[in-house]
Amino acid sequence: MRLRPWCVGACLAVVLSAAPATYAGVDTGTPLQVDAQIGGNTSAVAVAGGLLYLGIGTRIEVLDVSEPSRPLRVGSSAPLPEQPSAIVVASGYAFVADGDAGVYVLDVHDPTQPVGIGTYQPAGASQRVVVDGSTAYVAAGDAGLHILDVSDPSAPQEIGNYNAAAGVLDVALGPGVAYVAVDDGATNRGMRVALPHLRTLDVSDPRNPIELGIADVSAGALAPSLMVADPDHGRVYQYWNLFGAIGCDTAGIHVLDVSDPTTPTNVADLPATCGAGSIAGNGDRFAVAASAGSALSLYRPGSAQARTDLMSGVMASGVAVDGTLLFVAGEDQASGQSEVRVFDTSSTGGSPAPLGTYAEAALSHAQGTAAGQRIYLGDRGRFSIVDLSQPDRPVEVGAATLPAAGGLANWAVDVSVVGAYAYVIDGPSLLTFSIADPTHPTLVNLQDLGVGTFGVAHAGAYLYVIVGVNPATPGAGLQYELAILDLTDPAHPQTRGTWSDVGGLWNGLVIDGTRAYLTAGRALNVLDVVDALHPRVLGSAPFTDVGGDRLAVTGQTVFVNGFEGVHAYDVTDPTQPVELPVFGGDGGLVSSVALTGSTLYAAYWSGGGLRAFDVSDPTNPVLLGAYPNIPNGSVAASVFALGGHVLTSTYSGLWVLHVTPTQ
């Protein structure tokens, strides 16, 4: 591989060893501290000087795109507090709109080491940021438009503002003029929606912005508005969604004549696809990326729209235009990877031509298990092995694509590791991977066990899989059983029997020694598996909550996730398990639990992020720390304990944290 001249020395580690950047820890203000974050869905994207700046997870990654056919990752920032919603690069600095965390300024003079140097926190959420010289303009929703002096990027200072009645959704710039999408909110079909008007502001004196004109473009309901300005031709293109009772009914693009900023006028409308995440362009062309339908629309002002299906199967989230090059970021639904695809749009008569692709594992919403210094994750379309020997430098060392499972979307549910093999359940199937070489996991066997699989665990030479099977009576709903598989030949597990002594809905399974703990039939059931082929119920205790698909055991206590919180059971007497007080419910719905020593970690669905509890006395758990601000933490899918660290997988990627001792 040919190295770019400016990074010959600095890029060697990245190119030759695929080592990730070192991440500075994020101080959470609690004993639960962030070490690293990798993967995640893509968000914002910007291009400047042959470099592409990509919001992925909560980081800004830098790609060298001077050779568009071979995008090369050269650097990464430390994790930011939120998932970036917009990036603009000017004079060696990247300005990042980071939602509720405000605006972050990164020094990117050395693209191999983006370093955060300054922040600005407006009253509202920073949705968009644009820069003109030493002045930045921040659309902050209900908090209005904030105008900043960034002549010292390390200390942005507010020098002006523009407040609208219901908020500023987006901002774009022309010479001495700011175009703002103002939410004049209204009700549409019983729903409160954003009804934007384009307003033009004279910002020749940024300390005193003056409203010049208003264009009523409320035919569409925008949430949020997306705009791109073409000041050379006196045009602003504004994307809109019109929402109905159950979602987006239609979408389009307003073409606004702003040649006279005192009388901006809607002069045309273009069709568009619902669900746009980004719009970008220049005077010759602009593009809209939409996750709905995985559509990519390319427009050339003055000519017919060209819509392509080049992003088929990809949830597009960000788009940037640089000359005739088009860059589109999104998540590939089949491979479970976050991608940037590069297209050549120079042809005026045909579709954009694909040039190159950059991809990395999303590791979002993954399930799996920890073993040794690695975690084994089943994600959408992907089985991944992540090395944690250096917790502040996690790296995916190997991966394999999951085959389509019975016509269903391939999204692994659980993983169990036994020796040199990993057993992944996905839809109706059990997939066996050889992990003897962790850099190249190899699928060696696939077998269908039923209609669906819902949990997997092992004990000794046997594997136990929760399987859903068709009922004997049509329409009666799934029935559940344990499929018991012999691992004498670990590459080809053989079913030796099934067990189904408990009725009702089955949720989760964990095995500790000769006992198995199964949430089924609205109860925690304690099973004796000394006779591996003939489990027997020793005792049970009520579990009437929703959830119950993630269990953890320490000593004589079993912990189970639930919507009401963490459920704990004393199983000292396995014939009479006793439910202890539920805890941690004030953080929201608990999606997963994991243990390391006497520390229990709980991941939350509904905004609770991640919490750590001391459960040395399970009758009186003590909160050690919380990190509620994991972006998209409302969908924290899973949590894994590995030595002194904990990992949680969310839509913003895989997070590595640890609990620091209290003073």
Side-chain angles (χ1 to χ4, degrees):
M1 177 180 294
R2 182 170 68 84
L3 298 179
R4 282 48 165 182
W6 52 261
C7 75
V8 169
C11 293
L12 280 175
V14 174
V15 176
L16 299 181
S17 66
T22 299
Y23 304 102
V26 175
D27 186 355
T28 67
T30 81
L32 196 56
Q33 300 290 301
V34 175
D35 294 307
Q37 184 268 316
I38 61 171
N41 296 339
T42 59
S43 52
V45 61
V47 178
L51 297 171
L52 182 140
Y53 300 83
L54 174 66
I56 181 168
T58 63
R59 309 175 318 285
I60 303 299
E61 290 195 345
V62 185
L63 309 182
D64 182 348
V65 291
S66 58
E67 295 180 21
S69 63
R70 300 197 310 177
L72 171 67
R73 176 185 179 272
V74 295
S76 178
S77 74
L80 301 178
E82 298 285 340
Q83 197 158 24
S85 58
I87 306 168
V88 63
V89 179
S91 303
Y93 298 96
F95 298 83
V96 183
D98 204 41
D100 290 334
V103 175
Y104 272 68
V105 185
L106 306 179
D107 185 336
V108 292
H109 285 89
D110 178 357
T112 68
Q113 294 183 328
V115 178
I117 60 168
T119 63
Y120 170 76
Q121 176 68 67
S126 299
Q127 299 173 189
R128 296 288 184 272
V129 58
V130 292
V131 175
D132 179 23
S134 61
T135 307
Y137 300 80
V138 182
D142 292 345
L145 178 71
H146 295 257
I147 304 174
L148 311 179
D149 178 355
V150 292
S151 55
D152 178 0
S154 66
Q157 300 293 322
E158 181 171 337
I159 57 173
N161 60 75
Y162 172 78
N163 291 314
V168 174
L169 303 173
D170 200 2
V171 58
L173 296 177
V177 179
Y179 311 105
V180 294
V182 174
D183 175 7
D184 287 328
T187 300
N188 178 24
R189 303 185 192 180
M191 299 173 62
R192 198 271 180 203
V193 297
L195 293 181
H197 295 252
L198 179 80
R199 301 194 184 187
T200 56
L201 306 179
D202 180 348
V203 291
S204 55
D205 178 4
R207 289 174 170 77
N208 184 33
I210 299 172
E211 187 175 297
L212 296 174
I214 302 175
D216 185 352
V217 290
S218 59
L222 287 79
S225 171
L226 300 169
M227 295 193 305
V228 61
D230 177 14
D232 291 342
H233 297 86
R235 292 289 187 267
V236 167
Y237 301 93
Q238 188 176 43
Y239 174 89
W240 56 267
N241 283 327
L242 180 61
F243 284 89
I246 58 173
C248 178
D249 278 352
T250 187
I253 294 174
H254 297 305
V255 182
L256 298 151
D257 183 345
V258 293
S259 54
D260 180 356
T262 65
T263 57
T265 305
N266 191 176
V267 295
D269 285 280
L270 301 173
T273 302
C274 282
S278 182
I279 183 172
N282 53 32
D284 297 320
R285 69 207 72 227
F286 68 95
V288 177
S291 58
S294 301
L296 171 65
S297 301
L298 178 68
Y299 302 83
R300 292 183 174 88
S303 64
Q305 170 196 350
R307 176 173 292 139
T308 79
D309 61 355
L310 294 179
M311 297 302 287
S312 178
V314 174
M315 292 183 65
S317 57
V319 62
V321 175
D322 184 25
T324 61
L325 295 177
L326 173 64
F327 303 87
V328 186
E331 183 181 1
D332 189 305
Q333 298 299 282
S335 68
Q337 295 188 111
S338 291
E339 296 184 345
V340 175
R341 298 188 185 182
V342 188
F343 299 94
D344 179 0
T345 66
S346 58
S347 172
T348 58
S351 296
L355 294 177
T357 299
Y358 168 80
E360 66 176 80
L363 301 175
S364 58
H365 205 69
Q367 304 285 359
T369 189
Q373 292 184 322
R374 300 189 182 105
I375 57 170
Y376 301 83
L377 298 172
D379 199 354
R380 179 169 42 221
R382 191 176 182 86
F383 169 61
S384 297
I385 302 176
V386 178
D387 184 89
L388 265 295
S389 56
Q390 298 182 68
D392 63 337
R393 295 167 59 91
V395 60
E396 183 188 61
V397 293
T401 300
L402 298 178
L408 302 175
N410 49 340
W411 198 327
V413 174
D414 206 355
V415 180
S416 183
V417 172
V418 185
Y421 293 90
Y423 302 95
V424 181
I425 55 172
D426 177 18
S429 304
L430 172 67
L431 294 82
T432 303
F433 286 91
S434 170
I435 55 173
D437 178 359
T439 65
H440 294 93
T442 304
L443 180 65
V444 295
N445 190 54
L446 184 153
Q447 58 202 105
D448 287 347
L449 298 180
V451 176
T453 53
F454 303 95
V456 60
H458 75 276
Y462 290 91
L463 193 71
Y464 297 80
V465 182
I466 298 178
V467 177
V469 297
N470 287 319
T473 304
L478 281 182
Q479 293 181 344
Y480 296 87
E481 63 186 25
L482 276 182
I484 306 171
L485 296 100
D486 186 341
L487 298 179
T488 301
D489 177 359
H492 301 88
Q494 299 295 313
T495 301
R496 298 302 186 197
T498 61
W499 179 89
S500 57
D501 288 2
V502 178
L505 177 66
W506 291 24
N507 296 308
L509 172 71
V510 66
I511 297 177
D512 183 36
T514 59
R515 291 184 191 172
Y517 302 94
L518 171 71
T519 47
R522 298 179 66 80
L524 173 73
N525 301 274
V526 184
L527 279 59
D528 183 337
V529 291
V530 171
D531 183 347
L533 297 179
H534 302 92
R536 63 187 182 91
V537 177
L538 298 176
S540 63
F543 177 79
T544 57
D545 198 355
V546 177
D549 56 333
R550 295 291 174 239
L551 298 84
V553 183
T554 179
Q556 301 300 318
T557 309
V558 179
F559 299 92
V560 185
N561 72 303
F563 279 20
E564 296 172 0
V566 180
H567 296 256
Y569 295 86
D570 183 342
V571 291
T572 303
D573 180 355
T575 66
Q576 294 183 329
V578 177
E579 183 172 12
L580 304 175
V582 178
F583 62 94
D586 58 327
L589 315 180
V590 178
S591 61
S592 187
V593 293
L595 278 162
T596 177
S598 61
T599 302
L600 180 130
Y601 297 93
Y604 289 81
W605 278 96
S606 53
L610 183 71
R611 292 186 176 191
F613 298 89
D614 180 349
V615 292
S616 53
D617 177 1
T619 65
N620 185 33
V622 176
L623 179 65
L624 295 175
Y627 188 46
N629 298 321
I630 294 177
N632 285 328
S634 59
V635 286
S638 51
V639 61
F640 317 93
L642 191 63
H645 293 81
V646 60
L647 301 93
T648 184
S649 174
T650 80
Y651 282 124
S652 60
L654 185 68
W655 291 73
V656 184
L657 305 95
H658 71 278
V659 174
T660 59
T662 56
Q663 300 299 320

